[in-house]
Amino acid sequence: MHRFRLGLEDLASASFACSPLQEVTLSLRMWVHPGVYVHQTAAFERLRPAFERLDGVELLRSLVATANRYQPDFLTPRPTTPFPDVRAELETVRAFPPDRLRGELEQTFLPHDRRLPPLLDAGLDDPARLLADIADALEEYWVHCLEPEWWPRARSVLHADIVHRSRILAERGAAALFADLDGRLLWGDGVLTIRRDWGDGDTDIAVDGRGLVFTPTFFARGAITCISDEHPPVITYPVRGGATAAAPPVPGPRALERLIGAPKARLLAMLDEPTSTTELARRLGVTPGAVSQHLAVLAETRLVTRARHGRVVLYGLSPLGEQLLR
C-alpha cells in the first residue's frame, strides 16, 4: 500500500495537470514492452520507422526497465502548471543535479533488473554529459515522432479527461472523484491509498502542504506514483477514453446530415469526448476557422457545450446533441 495523508488544506489544494514530458517518457514503454498498452499499438506502429531512425534510439530504450517498466523519476518532473510546455519540462530534466544521477538510476533498475543498462552504466563516467544526452534524445523523439501526428489528438483527450474529473469533483465531491480515477485508489479518514503491486512493504506520505497533483496518462494500467518517496507527491492514472487518441473521424448519420448539413453532423459525431477546435480541424483536414463557424452555430442551438481548460476551449455534446445523434 502507498498511503497519502491529506489534511483539509491538502485536499482543497489538490489539482490536475497534463504533462507532455510524462507522455514522452512513459511512451518509451511501447518500444520495450510491446502489447502492454494495446489501444496505442496501431498508432505507434505507424511511428516505428521514424523512431528507429532517431540518433538516440538505443539510449531511449535503455530508460525503461525490462523487468517491470519502471523509469527514473527525474524524467517525469511534477508539472508546475496545469499544462506545461514540453521544452520547459526538458529544461527541468537538464537541470537535475548530475551527482544524483547514479542514485536515481540504481533505485530504478537494480532492485529488479539487477544491473544498470550498459549504455547508462557506461555514461555514468560523465554524468553531466549523460544527462544532456538523455534530454537531447527525449527532445529528438518528441520533435520527430510524437509532436507531428500523435500528440495533437492525445492532448485533446488529456484535456477532456481533466474537464470530466473537474465536473465530478464539483458535482459529487472528492470521494466520488477518487473512486472514478482508478480502482486501485481508496479514500477514507483523510488517507488516499494506492493498492500497488510495485515496491516492498507499505509507505506513508504526509502531503504537509506540498500539494498533491494528479496527471492522466495513456501509458499506465492503473494508478501509480513515484518510485522514490523523496519526490513531490504526484499520482498518475489511466486517462479516460485513451483508445480514442487513434480513432478516425466518425461519419455523421445520413438523416442528421440532411437536417443540419454534413459538416455539422460530422462534428457532432466526433464529440463523443470533449475536443478542441484545433484537433477537430486536424482530423477533418480543414482550417480551425471553418470549424469555429460551425461550432458557434451548434453552441447557439444548444447542441454542444463549451468548457475552458487553461488556454484551450473544449467542445462536447450537450444532452440535446446526444439525443439528436441517437
Side-chain angles (χ1 to χ4, degrees), residues 5-7 9-10 205-211 233:
R5 300 195 175 276
L6 302 168
E9 183 179 342
D10 297 319
I205 297 175
V207 176
D208 286 340
R210 293 179 294 164

Side-chain angles (χ1 to χ4, degrees), residues 74-190:
F74 78 93
L75 296 178
T76 52
R78 191 173 79 161
T80 56
T81 64
F83 216 116
D85 178 77
V86 68
R87 288 171 177 82
E89 293 188 294
L90 282 167
E91 288 306 309
T92 301
V93 172
R94 290 189 169 95
F96 187 77
D99 60 349
R100 293 177 52 191
L101 188 55
R102 178 179 290 277
E104 284 275 319
L105 296 179
E106 289 180 348
Q107 189 170 38
T108 301
F109 295 101
L110 293 189
H112 300 279
D113 284 0
R114 306 302 180 188
R115 67 186 184 96
L116 294 181
L119 268 179
L120 300 181
D121 194 23
L124 284 172
D125 290 342
D126 185 352
R129 178 70 263 168
L130 176 59
L131 191 63
D133 288 345
I134 289 172
D136 289 345
L138 290 170
E139 185 167 13
E140 180 193 28
Y141 175 45
W142 165 260
V143 169
H144 294 288
C145 295
L146 300 184
E147 184 180 29
E149 178 183 345
W150 182 81
W151 178 245
R153 177 57 181 156
R155 175 179 55 197
S156 184
V157 175
L158 293 167
H159 272 300
D161 178 278
I162 290 182
V163 170
H164 171 75
R165 308 300 179 186
S166 300
R167 185 177 298 119
I168 290 178
L169 180 62
E171 295 177 355
R172 296 162 51 196
L177 169 66
F178 296 143
D180 188 67
L181 283 178
D182 185 65
R184 289 183 184 178
L185 294 176
L186 299 174
W187 168 251
D189 297 326

Side-chain angles (χ1 to χ4, degrees), residues 256-277:
L256 185 58
E257 289 182 8
R258 292 195 296 270
L259 177 64
I260 63 175
K264 295 181 182 64
R266 283 196 294 271
L267 281 173
L268 283 179
M270 292 167 64
L271 292 175
D272 53 327
E273 293 286 343
T275 309
S276 69
T277 301

